[in-house]
Amino acid sequence: MTTHKDADANVVPEQPGRRKFLNTAAITGLAGAGLSMGLAGCNKEDAAPDAATATGAGSEGGIDYAKYAVHPGQLDEYYAFSSGGHSGEVRIYGLPSGRELRRIPVFNMDCMLGWGITNESKAIIGTNPDGSLKYNTGDTHHVHPSYTDGTYDGRYIFVNDKINTRVARVRLDTMECDKITQLPNVQGFHGIFPDKRDPLDPAINHTTRVFCGNEFHIPQPNDGRDLDDPSKYFCLFSCVDAETMQVRWQCKVDGNLDLIATSYDGKLVCSNQYNTERGVHYVDMMAVERDSCIFLNVARIEAAIAAGKSFTIGDSKVPVVDGTKAANADPATALTCYVPVPKNPHGVNVSPDGKYYACAGKLSPTVTLIAHELVLKWFDGGLAEPRDAVVAEPEVGLGPLHSGFDNRGYCYTTLFLDSQIVKWNLDAAIKAYQGDKAALDKIVVDRIDVHYQPGHGFTSMGETREADGRYFVSDNKFSKDRFLPVGPVHPENSQLIDISGDKMLLVHDSPVHSEPHDSIIIRRDIIKPRQIYNIDEFPLAVKSPTDSRVERNGRKVTVYLTSQAPTIGLAEFSVKRGDEVTIILTNLDKVEDLTHGFAIPNYNINFIVSPQQTQSVTFIADKPGVYWCYCSHFCHALHLEMRSRMLVSA
Ligand code: CUK
Ligand code: CUA
Ligand code: CA
C-alpha cells in the first residue's frame, strides 16, 4: 500500500512529517498545533475573505448567495434534526436557511412546555419515590430516525444520553419524547443507530431495533467490586426494541464501543473501537497502532439467545451473550468480527448503496473502507482474516472524524485538525488500494476550509438510500471570530456547503448553542407533523368548560380546568394548606397555534397546553394566600386578563 502524498500535493502544499500516524507525544503537541493553526484564523486578515459568507446576502467570490436565501414567508426545503449535546435536548432547524425552528426537551427540563414539571413528562423521564425527577440533565450526541425500505419513514427519532445512559424516542408527529429507557450495566452510552430492516424476516422492512454503544468499560456489575482492577472491566453492546423500548439483549465485547452504524439489509451492526487497549489513561488508549471496527451478526446473536446461550449480570434480567474474541474465533459460529483499523478511529458511516463502511482514522490521517459483503463472507468462512474485508484506506488529511456521502460516489470527511472538509472518491480509493497508481491522483478531488475544527459532517438524506448530493453541513466545534463576540462562551458554527457541483461551496454560517454533535438532514415531504392534538388521546381530558370543578378525596384535591381564550374554566378555586393538589388542564381551543400557558406564582409551576392538549401537575399547597394562576403564553388580546385565583386557606 503506497501513500497518497501525490494526490494530496495536487490540492494542498506538501506538509512533510505532518501526515503521519500520531503517536502519544505527537497528539499532545499536535492538538495544540492544530488548534493554534485554527486560531490563526482569528486574525482579521485571515478571516476577512470569508466574512461575507456570514451575511448570506449578495454575491461574493463567484458565489450567488441569493440562490440559497429563504425569503420571509418561504419554507425551507429540508428539516435538520440535531442533538443538543449537554443541553440534553433535540433541535430542529430548517435548511438551507439555518433557522432554528424548535427545541424538543428530552433529558432536560423546559419551562415553556413544562417538560420535567408536568406529571405526563415526569412519568416519561422517571421520578424518585418522592416525585422528584430521577435525573434532570442529559448529554445527547446522536439523533437517528426510524427507517422503512432504507429511508426515513417519519415515525420516530431515537437519541442517546451519554451521562445517564438512557435512550429516548421522539414521536415525529407531535415532536415529543414518548419513551425513555435506561441501559443496565453501561457507562458512557455514546453511539446509537436504529436497524434499517429485520434480518430475521425480510418482510419486516422497517426499524425494529435500536443499537447502543458503550464507551467506558466498568466492573460488571458496577457495585463496588473490582474498583481498581481494570483487567476485570468490560463493555456491553445493547439492543433495544424500537416499539416497546425494552432492552432485548446485550453483547459483551473486548475493547470499547463508540459510534454505531447499521447495514441496509439488517444483518450487521458495527462500532468503532478506540480503546481496544482497555486503557484507563489516554496514553494507554493510544498504545497500539491498530484498534478495531467491530461487527455484530444480529441473526446469530438472537439465535444464541433463543438457544439459551446467555447469562445475566447483577440485578439486570437482560440476556447477555459473549462477543469477546476468545469466544468467537471460529467464523462459522462467531457472533462478532473485529476488523483491525488504524489507531483510535472515530465516526463510522455507511455508504448509501449499502456496500461500504467508512471508519474515520482520527489519530491516523486515513479513512478505512470496509466492504459489507466481505464481512459477511468472513462470517461464512470464506475470508482468511477480518482485515481482508478492508478495500481501501486513503490518506485524506489530519484528524478525520466523520463522513457523509452523496449519490455520485463521493465521500465528504471532516478533518478536525486541518479544519477542512475533504471530498474523495470511493472507486479511486479502492483502485489505488488494489495497486492502481494512476488512481492515486483521483482520490482527493476537493478540499474546503471550515471555521473551525469540524466534528460531525453530514449530507442531505446521506444516511439513506435516497442520498441526494445537494448539501453538506459541517458542525464546527469552534467559531472564534465568525460572529459578534458574546463573552467567553462562543457559539458553535454550523456551516452549510453546497456539494452539488465539482467544487464545494461554503454558502452559509449559522451560530448554534453549544454543543450539538450530530445532525441529520431530511427532505421536508417525509416529515408530517400534526398541527393540533387529538383530545381523545388524553384520558384525563376535561372536555367542556362546564366540567371544570374541584374534587376532594381526603387531603388529595383534583382541580379540573379548561382554557379557552380568554378564560380559564374556573375564575377561582379553593384548597387548604397542606393539600396535595393536582391540576388537570385541557386547552379547548381548536385554532392552530393557539397555545395557553398555566403558571402559579411562588409555586414554581409553569407549563403550556396547545390546542386540544391536556397536561397535569401535582404539588403540595404549602403556602397560604392568594395566587393568581395566569396564562404564560401570549394567546389573545386579553391574554393578560386570562387568570384564575387559587385561594389557599391557612
Ligand atoms: S461524537 Cu461529537 S464530533 Cu459524540 Cu458523534 Cu464525533
Ligand atoms: Cu391564554 Cu395567554
Ligand atoms: Ca487505541
Side-chain angles (χ1 to χ4, degrees), residues 589-612:
D589 277 308
K590 288 183 179 159
V591 179
E592 191 178 312
D593 211 2
L594 210 169
T595 294
H596 298 291
F598 194 86
I600 311 179
N602 303 343
Y603 272 91
N604 203 31
I605 284 176
N606 191 13
F607 63 99
I608 58 168
V609 278
S610 285
Q612 303 288 293

Side-chain angles (χ1 to χ4, degrees), residues 30-41 453 480:
L30 195 74
L35 292 182
S36 56
M37 287 183 323
L39 278 164
Q453 267 78 36
K480 298 171 182 170

Side-chain angles (χ1 to χ4, degrees), residues 90-111:
V90 169
R91 299 176 190 155
I92 313 172
Y93 54 103
L95 288 178
S97 75
R99 298 182 297 198
E100 185 179 283
L101 304 175
R102 257 202 74 186
R103 295 180 167 200
I104 305 171
V106 179
F107 302 110
N108 54 323
M109 292 183 68
D110 183 89
C111 300

Side-chain angles (χ1 to χ4, degrees), residues 141-142 162 190 259 346-347 401-402 455-456 477 515 517-518:
H141 283 241
H142 305 107
K162 183 168 171 176
H190 190 205
L259 292 121
H346 194 61
L401 290 188
H402 293 280
H456 273 276
K477 300 299 183 190
E515 180 196 9
H517 284 253
D518 196 8

Side-chain angles (χ1 to χ4, degrees), residues 38 41 85 199 222 227 420 461 472 558 588 598:
N222 192 24
L227 277 186
Q420 282 183 335
M461 295 297 290
F472 179 92
T558 306
L588 291 180
F598 194 86

Side-chain angles (χ1 to χ4, degrees), residues 272-287:
N272 64 297
Q273 303 189 288
Y274 67 78
N275 191 14
T276 53
E277 302 91 339
R278 301 165 79 222
V280 293
H281 184 268
Y282 82 93
V283 174
D284 307 324
M285 298 179 201
M286 299 192 294

